[in-house]
Amino acid sequence: MMLETFVESIEAHTALDDISVRSVFGGKGVLSGGIMFALIKGDDIYLRASSSSLKEEFKALGCTPYEFNWRAHSRNYPSLSNYYSLPETVAHSQKQVATLCEEVWSAGLKEKVRKETPTRIKDLPNMQYKTERMLRKAGIHSIDELRERGPVNAFKAVCISQDKHPGVNLLFCIAGALEGIHWTILPEPQRQTLTHQAGCDYATH
């Protein structure tokens, strides 16, 4: 009953949609758009602290972390999660709880985006550690620097820094990486423009 009431309150008082529920940590996790923001265990509600600042805020409000047991070699070990009990200041109001859940969900979304955002060149599409090393040798050490140079100038810099020509496909790999796509689906006109700007020979197929 607590779970049903909680979900109904979220749907009534927030803009969160696509609400789903799954079993996790010995309780029921509540998600919106695939991002878990709350955990229901019996009649207790726990909210996710997806960032260190949110965790410290919950601790300062006297919230306690959800404790669950995981079994290993026939023994139970307590484990502290990143889910905290409701602050007493909002626990009495369904609307305030729902509003706090929306804030917690937003923090979870930011964390998800942060984790999925590439931080190194090798993490971009088409890029590998070998490519990252080549670009570093050419004086390009970050994604921001790669974007600033652009595919043509970055490719030219690599050509100058290498003893052996890296091949025109590297130009396409860089261009695709900066667009977030695989290099093989770059349109033919774009490939021809890139090779012309880079001064490379390129035969269409």
Side-chain angles (χ1 to χ4, degrees), residues 124-128 169-188 190-191 194:
L124 293 171
N126 314 314
M127 300 287 100
Q128 302 174 355
N169 280 351
L170 176 63
L171 173 61
F172 303 147
C173 285
I174 296 173
L178 292 176
E179 293 186 26
I181 61 175
H182 195 273
W183 69 273
T184 57
I185 63 175
L186 284 174
E188 195 66 34
Q190 184 178 359
R191 295 192 191 196
L194 288 168

Side-chain angles (χ1 to χ4, degrees), residues 32-134:
S32 173
I35 299 175
M36 185 168 161
F37 61 91
L39 176 70
I40 308 296
K41 177 68 172 180
D43 291 332
D44 295 320
I45 300 173
Y46 298 86
L47 301 184
R48 180 185 176 191
S50 56
S51 65
S52 57
S53 59
L54 195 54
K55 182 179 293 187
E56 291 304 317
E57 182 178 340
F58 279 139
K59 288 180 179 179
L61 291 171
C63 305
T64 56
Y66 172 64
E67 186 171 324
F68 66 98
N69 294 318
W70 58 277
R71 188 177 297 275
H73 303 297
S74 301
R75 296 180 61 185
N76 287 332
Y77 293 87
S79 177
L80 298 179
S81 69
N82 289 327
Y83 289 80
Y84 286 78
S85 60
L86 290 177
E88 292 184 3
T89 53
V90 302
H92 65 284
S93 170
Q94 286 188 354
K95 186 173 183 179
Q96 290 185 37
V97 170
T99 300
L100 181 57
C101 284
E102 197 164 23
E103 295 176 8
V104 167
W105 181 87
S106 296
L109 176 61
K110 290 180 181 180
E111 180 66 10
K112 182 175 184 290
V113 171
R114 185 191 68 78
K115 288 183 177 180
E116 293 180 349
T117 301
T119 57
R120 288 182 54 174
I121 291 174
K122 71 176 182 62
D123 298 325
L124 293 171
N126 314 314
M127 300 287 100
Q128 302 174 355
Y129 182 66
K130 177 182 178 181
T131 320
E132 184 180 70
R133 283 190 302 173
M134 292 171 63

Side-chain angles (χ1 to χ4, degrees), residues 133-151:
R133 283 190 302 173
M134 292 171 63
L135 288 165
R136 283 182 175 178
K137 186 177 180 181
I140 302 171
H141 301 277
S142 68
I143 294 176
D144 287 341
E145 291 178 353
L146 183 61
R147 293 190 187 283
E148 184 177 348
R149 292 284 190 99

